Amino acid sequence: MNVRTPDPNPGWLSEDDLYEARRRLPMVYVEAIPVRCDALGYVNQVGLLLQANEQGEMVRTFVSGRVMYRETIRAALLRHLEKDLGPLALPQLPPSPVPFTIAEYFPSPSETGLTDDRQHAVALAYLIPVTGECSPRQDALELSWLTPSEALSPSIQAEFSGGRADLLRQALAHAGWGR
C-alpha cells in the first residue's frame, strides 16, 4: 500500500527549479524533423516550423522538447510531435527509434556549433515520417513543407539559429541528400 501524496505535477519542474537545474545539469531533449516520403521511402518533403524568437525575429526550427522524468524517448517524441503538429499529423515512429545524431547544445559557442543560451542540452535528433494533416500549434506560426533542395538552399539555411542549419544538413545527408 502506498501512502505517499501523489505528485501534482509529475515529471515537471517548477520554473525556479528548472532554472536551477539548467544551470547545473545537461537537459535531455528530443528533436524531430517531420518528413514526407514517397512510396519507396525516399524523403521528398521536409517540414520546418517558423516561429518568432525572443528578439522578435522569424526563425526556422524543428519539433523539439524536453524528455520528462520517467518518460520513454518514444513517448516524448509522440508528445512533442502532437503538441507542435497537431493530433492528426500521424507520425510514423520506427520500430527501433535510433536517432540520426545526438546534438549537444551549449550556452556559449563550442566545438559542436550548436548553441542554446538557456542551458547545456543533449538532444536525440530524429527524422520522422508523418502521413496526416499537420497544423502548427504552440509557439509555431507556420509549418512549411519544402523539398530537400529548397530546405538546403542558402536562404532557408540562413533562417535557422543556434547551428540548427547544420543539424538539418546532417539529417538530410543521413537520408541520402546533399552528399
Side-chain angles (χ1 to χ4, degrees):
M1 178 167 93
N2 188 351
V3 294
R4 289 188 57 210
T5 303
D7 184 351
N9 221 356
W12 290 108
L13 298 171
S14 71
E15 287 300 316
D16 291 337
D17 289 342
L18 178 59
Y19 174 79
E20 288 302 318
R22 282 179 165 160
R23 290 184 53 221
R24 292 182 168 89
L25 303 166
M27 303 301 288
V28 179
Y29 278 73
V30 290
E31 290 192 303
I33 301 173
V35 295
R36 299 225 189 255
C37 299
D38 66 15
L40 295 175
Y42 294 110
V43 172
N44 57 19
Q45 290 185 312
V46 179
L48 300 177
L49 296 170
L50 184 67
Q51 61 185 195
N53 66 13
E54 291 178 4
Q55 293 77 31
E57 303 163 330
M58 302 306 284
V59 294
R60 297 279 177 185
T61 192
F62 317 122
V63 171
S64 179
R66 286 193 320 264
V67 177
M68 293 192 309
Y69 179 70
R70 298 188 58 88
E71 181 179 42
T72 65
I73 298 299
R74 182 181 293 279
L77 277 167
L78 285 174
R79 180 171 56 83
H80 289 294
L81 285 159
E82 181 175 309
K83 174 184 63 91
D84 288 350
L85 302 180
L88 301 178
L90 303 178
Q92 306 297 303
L93 292 186
S96 176
V98 176
F100 69 84
T101 195
I102 298 171
E104 296 179 271
Y105 292 89
F106 292 93
S108 56
S110 73
E111 59 274 6
T112 70
L114 298 168
T115 58
D116 183 334
D117 295 341
R118 304 166 300 165
Q119 64 195 338
H120 174 190
V122 176
L124 306 173
Y126 298 86
L127 279 171
I128 302 292
V130 296
T131 59
E133 291 298 317
C134 298
S135 55
R137 298 171 21 158
Q138 300 292 76
D139 297 333
L141 303 173
E142 174 184 293
L143 173 68
S144 302
W145 289 103
L146 306 172
T147 67
S149 297
E150 291 169 335
L152 293 172
S153 71
S155 61
I156 297 296
Q157 293 282 293
E159 295 178 3
F160 286 96
S161 64
R164 286 173 182 83
D166 288 337
L167 199 56
L168 178 62
R169 282 193 296 277
Q170 268 187 293
L172 290 173
H174 179 77
W177 283 90
R179 292 184 181 177

